[in-house]
């Protein structure tokens, strides 16, 4: 029936999305066994023919660089390895793997994959912030990202990496080179003061007075007008058997 067709469609989507990643993981495992270990600028790395720079592994993380990386200027290599080292210390690879695992449970949910993509961008932007806090020049760091990113081959299975979509790289460079606007804090403070003023005004505004007995009708109004304990002329005439006027 319809339920069986839906389950079959979901299974096909699951296979189409996860089989390529599974094949890439198997290929990575085979190739990693052939990569050589080397210390580059005091940092232990794996040297591959053309994969990287990136982090590989889950339980035993390692930085992998391609052979052409060794021919880069020393400052470019240092900044690129500093970037990879920040990812390594923060455990960003495990975080991204967890996000991919959650998305794999519901591969037909486009919103989950969108959040995974945003998570990847957030890890890169956060890593850039940590690198710049170490006293690195933003222009030199951006130049290193451009140099390495232009030569890297992007494999989506390697995350995080310097081999990434050019749109994300452009966004990162714009973020690090754009100076924060001081007026933003002023606007935020002004909005906060406006909210506090509105709250104070709402608390100080007196509540509207309610008229007691406003809906009791004409008879209740006449009785209340006579006052408590006062006998009206209508009551006297009614007591003497005279019709009220």
């Amino acid at each position: 029936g319809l339920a069986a067709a839906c389950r079959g469609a979901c299974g096909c989507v699951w296979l189409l999305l996860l089989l390529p990643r599974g094949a890439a993981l198997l290929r990575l495992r085979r190739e990693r066994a052939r990569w050589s270990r080397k210390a580059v600028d005091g940092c232990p790395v794996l040297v591959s023919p053309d994969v990287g720079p990136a982090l590989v592994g889950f339980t035993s993380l390692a930085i992998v660089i391609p052979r052409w990386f060794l021919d880069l200027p020393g400052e470019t290599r240092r900044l690129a390895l500093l970037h990879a080292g920040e990812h390594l210390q923060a455990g960003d690879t495990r975080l991204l793997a967890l996000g991919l695992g959650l998305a794999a449970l519901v591969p037909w949910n486009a919103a989950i994959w969108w959040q995974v993509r945003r998570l990847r961008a957030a890890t890169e932007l956060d890593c850039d912030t940590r690198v710049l806090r170490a006293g690195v020049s933003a222009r030199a760091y951006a130049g290193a990202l451009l140099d390495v990113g232009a030569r890297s081959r992007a494999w989506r299975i390697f995350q995080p990496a310097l081999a990434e979509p050019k749109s994300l790289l452009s966004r990162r460079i714009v973020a690090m080179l754009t100076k924060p606007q001081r007026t933003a804090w002023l606007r935020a403070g002004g909005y906060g003061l406006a909210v506090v003023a509105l709250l104070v005004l709402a608390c100080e505004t007196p509540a509207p007075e309610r008229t007691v007995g406003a809906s009791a009708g004409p008879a209740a109004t006449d009785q209340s007008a006579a006052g408590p304990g006062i006998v009206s002329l209508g009551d006297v005439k009614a007591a003497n058997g005279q019709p009220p006027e």
Side-chain angles (χ1 to χ4, degrees):
L2 181 60
C6 291
R7 287 195 296 268
C10 292
C12 292
V13 172
W14 189 82
L15 290 176
L16 289 175
L17 290 174
L18 297 184
L19 279 180
R21 294 183 180 272
L25 283 173
L26 292 177
R27 181 182 173 185
L28 166 64
R29 185 165 184 172
R30 290 195 305 266
E31 291 189 0
R32 182 175 179 176
R34 298 193 294 265
W35 294 342
S36 60
R37 295 184 178 272
K38 189 181 177 86
V40 177
D41 299 331
C43 179
V45 297
L46 297 173
V47 181
S48 71
D50 58 351
V51 176
L55 294 183
V56 294
F58 185 79
T59 56
S60 58
L61 295 176
I63 301 174
V64 56
I65 61 172
R67 288 196 183 99
W68 55 258
F69 186 87
L70 301 175
D71 299 329
L72 293 174
E75 182 66 10
T76 301
R77 290 200 313 266
R78 184 184 73 85
L79 294 176
L81 291 175
L82 181 60
H83 172 89
E86 288 292 338
H87 278 309
L88 187 64
Q89 292 181 4
D92 290 335
T93 299
R94 296 187 180 94
L95 179 62
L96 291 171
L98 178 60
L100 287 173
L102 293 177
L105 298 177
V106 283
W108 55 86
N109 193 325
I112 298 296
W113 290 102
W114 179 63
Q115 290 296 332
V116 171
R117 185 175 180 180
R118 286 173 57 86
L119 176 62
R120 183 190 178 194
T123 56
E124 293 294 344
L125 291 171
D126 185 62
C127 182
D128 294 338
T129 302
R130 295 195 301 270
V131 171
L132 295 179
R133 284 177 181 172
V136 174
S137 169
R139 291 190 176 275
Y141 181 54
L145 293 179
L146 285 173
D147 193 6
V148 176
R151 304 187 187 191
S152 301
R153 185 183 66 175
W155 278 27
R156 297 304 298 269
I157 195 64
F158 298 111
Q159 297 180 2
L162 290 178
E164 60 186 16
K166 298 301 183 289
S167 59
L168 177 56
L169 182 58
S170 300
R171 179 183 171 189
R172 292 169 56 193
I173 292 175
V174 169
M176 70 179 68
L177 294 181
T178 302
K179 295 182 179 180
Q181 298 181 359
R182 297 180 179 179
T183 57
W185 292 101
L186 296 177
R187 288 199 302 268
Y191 293 150
L193 290 177
V195 170
V196 172
L198 289 175
L199 289 175
V200 172
L201 180 62
C203 295
E204 294 296 329
T205 301
E209 297 182 357
R210 298 180 58 187
T211 304
V212 180
S215 60
T221 304
D222 294 341
Q223 185 175 359
S224 61
I230 301 177
V231 180
S232 64
L233 180 60
D235 295 335
V236 175
K237 290 184 177 182
N240 294 332
Q242 299 179 4
E245 297 179 358

